[in-house]
Amino acid sequence: MKAACKVDRKKGIIVKDVPVPEIGEEDVLVKVKKAAVCGTDIHLYNWNQWCENVNAKNPMVIGHEFCGEVVEVGRNVKGLEKGEMVAAETHIPCGICFLCKTGRQHICLNMKIVGVHTDGAFAEYAKIPAVCAWKLDKNIDPEIGAIYEPFGIGVHALSKTKISGKTVVVTGCGPIGLFTINLASMSGAKTIYALDLNEYRLNLATKMGNNIVPINPSNTNGSEKILKETSGIGVDVVVELSGAVPATKLGFEVLKKGGAIMLVGLHDNDVSVDFVNNVIYKEAIIYGITGREMFDSWYDADDLILSDKSKVSEVITDRFSLEDTEKAILTAAEGNCGKVIIDIG
Ligand code: ZN
């Protein structure tokens, strides 16, 4: 089969022929229809320090956001049949650690990630453990099936607090930020401040629903503007998706006393925050958000997408063939895009 492979610990990606994965007793083999490019794939493409830090597999087939058709089912797998469409939960839980045993498989102590620690899905076929296969409704467009995974992160973040009638700040308008803005709008947020340095993404953000105020911190003092518009009180909810230090600091600055901040974006370095004024005196509620709750976030994502009220399809802006995976990754890295899809089969 054709697959986009990392062949060494250097920058680049090569599309080449590799054997179709052999499944084990607990796995399913999926014929990949559509995949989507994630920030993780950009890290892997560049092979930066993050890849070494997480002990990413190399050589490896990359890619983890995808959906496709089940074409082979392991002997011990129950509840999945050939011909069914599935999307993949990319966090592979061990099933036996304390966190797995107490309902938090998504932060399993021994977690492995598809397309980081195991061969991924920018390929004609992908093998995943059956526990990670989410059965898709027959009416789901495969392109949308491929973005359940990142959409689910937004679902998870906003599940932590009440959004209806609240003021919300979203820092970072990449695909997950766009999904989060859409989700906040669907949940009835009063005002959503969308921050990004990229005008293309800010423009997309304004299409994600109602009462969205785009702010570009490169030409506007976001903190001042948000505090002024909220009578100096700040916002109820902040979702930080950029992983950028200035955006994270801004998030804590504009958070209302008693407000909730969800930290999702990954920072390259430690972040210094004024804990006394922006956390302790504020009684700020801080949530770290990793992936999707398994499978609460998936059930909610499914309901929201099937409701037809979401604007997920508008987040998809670019499409490439498997042969052009490198172009797809470079397009995503450049940033003048929403979600980039790889059309495989
Ligand atoms: Zn575990």
Side-chain angles (χ1 to χ4, degrees):
M1 66 170 189
K2 284 222 168 353
C5 305
K6 229 27 234 190
V7 292
D8 53 29
R9 306 176 100 80
K10 293 180 196 143
K11 186 172 181 169
I13 194 89
I14 293 169
V15 177
K16 62 171 191 161
D17 281 312
V18 298
V20 173
E22 280 182 33
I23 63 164
E25 294 178 343
E26 316 286 342
D27 301 325
V28 292
L29 186 68
V30 179
K31 186 172 194 309
V32 181
K33 298 255 183 217
K34 309 274 180 179
V37 178
C38 169
T40 300
D41 303 315
I42 301 170
H43 290 317
L44 291 166
Y45 174 82
N46 288 322
W47 198 261
N48 59 16
Q49 190 56 41
W50 177 88
C51 304
E52 300 289 354
N53 294 349
V54 300
N55 198 23
K57 189 180 172 201
N58 196 314
M60 176 179 65
V61 176
I62 73 160
H64 60 276
E65 296 178 359
F66 73 103
C67 76
E69 182 188 339
V70 174
V71 290
E72 218 182 309
V73 178
R75 209 171 59 183
N76 295 343
V77 173
K78 294 193 182 84
L80 282 167
E81 310 271 349
K82 280 188 201 176
E84 287 180 324
M85 285 288 291
V86 294
E89 164 55 64
T90 52
H91 287 185
I92 304 174
C94 75
I96 53 172
C97 74
F98 166 74
L99 289 154
C100 283
K101 294 280 192 195
T102 54
R104 287 191 282 175
Q105 306 174 69
H106 69 294
I107 48 170
C108 166
L109 283 178
N110 309 305
M111 183 171 70
K112 291 200 161 33
I113 301 175
V114 176
V116 175
H117 303 114
T118 68
D119 280 315
F122 292 168
E124 289 176 274
Y125 294 90
K127 172 182 86 168
I128 52 169
V131 66
C132 293
W134 174 263
K135 227 185 275 189
L136 288 168
D137 187 277
K138 283 192 288 292
N139 297 318
I140 293 288
D141 177 339
E143 254 186 19
I144 304 298
I147 55 85
Y148 262 63
E149 196 259 27
F151 183 74
I153 297 172
V155 171
H156 181 192
L158 292 192
S159 72
K160 296 295 179 190
T161 192
K162 186 183 162 204
I163 302 297
S164 172
K166 303 294 185 188
T167 45
V168 178
V169 163
V170 175
T171 48
C173 298
I176 301 172
L178 296 169
F179 293 141
T180 302
I181 293 163
N182 181 219
L183 286 158
S185 177
M186 282 195 281
S187 305
K190 184 174 148 197
T191 311
I192 305 160
Y193 298 95
L195 282 82
D196 204 287
L197 297 169
N198 181 301
E199 284 296 330
Y200 181 94
R201 289 185 160 179
L202 279 179
N203 184 44
L204 261 181
T206 61
K207 296 175 180 164
M208 291 296 117
N210 301 318
N211 308 322
I212 295 158
V213 180
I215 298 173
N216 188 334
S218 65
N219 56 35
T220 304
N221 185 323
S223 183
E224 257 178 42
K225 181 177 167 70
I226 293 164
L227 286 171
K228 191 173 165 213
E229 290 198 11
T230 53
S231 312
I233 295 170
V235 298
D236 300 292
V237 180
V238 173
V239 187
E240 203 310 292
L241 292 141
S242 70
V245 174
T248 307
K249 284 174 172 276
L250 176 144
F252 278 98
E253 277 164 26
V254 301
L255 187 66
K256 185 191 264 184
K257 282 192 170 182
I261 181 165
M262 290 74 169
L263 302 173
V264 189
L266 303 179
H267 302 83
D268 290 334
N269 298 104
D270 290 353
V271 182
S272 71
V273 170
D274 179 351
F275 262 51
V276 173
N277 288 303
N278 286 336
V279 178
I280 299 163
Y281 287 161
K282 276 191 180 176
E283 296 204 345
I285 304 163
I286 304 173
Y287 293 99
I289 300 291
T290 298
R292 299 136 301 280
E293 288 183 315
M294 293 163 68
F295 279 79
D296 306 58
S297 307
W298 286 84
Y299 280 102
D300 291 349
D302 216 22
D303 286 342
L304 288 158
I305 287 173
L306 287 168
S307 76
D308 250 4
K309 288 179 189 145
S310 79
K311 301 204 182 276
V312 283
S313 58
E314 288 179 46
V315 175
I316 297 168
T317 55
D318 295 79
R319 294 161 181 86
F320 293 89
S321 66
L322 181 58
E323 282 73 17
D324 283 335
T325 296
E326 181 169 22
K327 280 186 195 159
I329 292 172
L330 293 174
T331 299
E334 191 232 347
N336 290 325
C337 58
K339 198 61 168 168
V340 177
I341 294 285
I342 301 178
D343 188 352
I344 297 175

